Amino acid sequence: MNPASLSVGQRVNALVKALNGAKRTNEALARCSNGEEMLDVLLDASAKLGLGLTRQQLANTPPIRDWVWWKNKEALLTIGDNKPRYQQDGGQGRAEPAASGEEAPRKRFLGLF
């Protein structure tokens, strides 16, 4: 069966399975400093396997999409002022430190906390 005739998801899954145990490719992926370099390595692996995946297909199909996101530390979806959600909610429940470096007193909620 021709791998290029499979759906994009099936070809990406075949690539991921082929990467399992591929020591040199995994080391090359680990050395990448960003997601674009990862895509270059993955495109090369896809070409060697005859899968015919494009950069766009790799960048938009899980789990590769998630690997690239993790390497770039970019959120797939942002809310508000273009900050990733984990950074927006990071300070919840904590008082802001005072300008002098001392910790500000904790705010009370209805006198309970």
Side-chain angles (χ1 to χ4, degrees):
M1 176 177 237
N2 182 12
S5 66
L6 299 172
S7 72
V8 173
Q10 291 172 323
R11 288 185 282 161
V12 168
N13 285 336
L15 176 63
V16 170
K17 286 179 185 175
L19 293 175
N20 187 19
K23 185 177 178 180
R24 287 186 344 181
T25 305
N26 284 313
E27 287 172 354
L29 288 169
R31 282 191 304 268
C32 293
S33 62
N34 60 40
E36 292 304 314
E37 290 179 13
M38 284 181 71
L39 288 175
D40 291 337
V41 171
L42 293 167
L43 277 171
D44 185 49
S46 169
K48 287 178 181 175
L49 294 169
L51 295 173
L53 290 164
T54 66
R55 178 179 288 274
Q56 190 68 23
Q57 289 170 332
L58 287 171
N60 292 333
T61 308
I64 307 287
R65 175 197 66 196
D66 303 333
W67 296 351
V68 171
W69 166 78
W70 184 254
K71 193 68 155 182
N72 288 337
K73 306 286 192 277
E74 295 173 352
L76 296 175
L77 173 68
T78 58
I79 300 171
D81 59 353
N82 205 23
K83 277 187 168 180
R85 182 67 184 196
Y86 72 91
Q87 287 180 356
Q88 289 179 12
D89 294 342
Q92 280 187 342
R94 287 188 254 149
E96 291 294 320
S100 65
E102 296 177 17
E103 197 167 311
R106 188 173 180 145
K107 294 180 183 177
R108 298 177 64 102
F109 177 73
L110 298 177
L112 299 174
F113 302 101

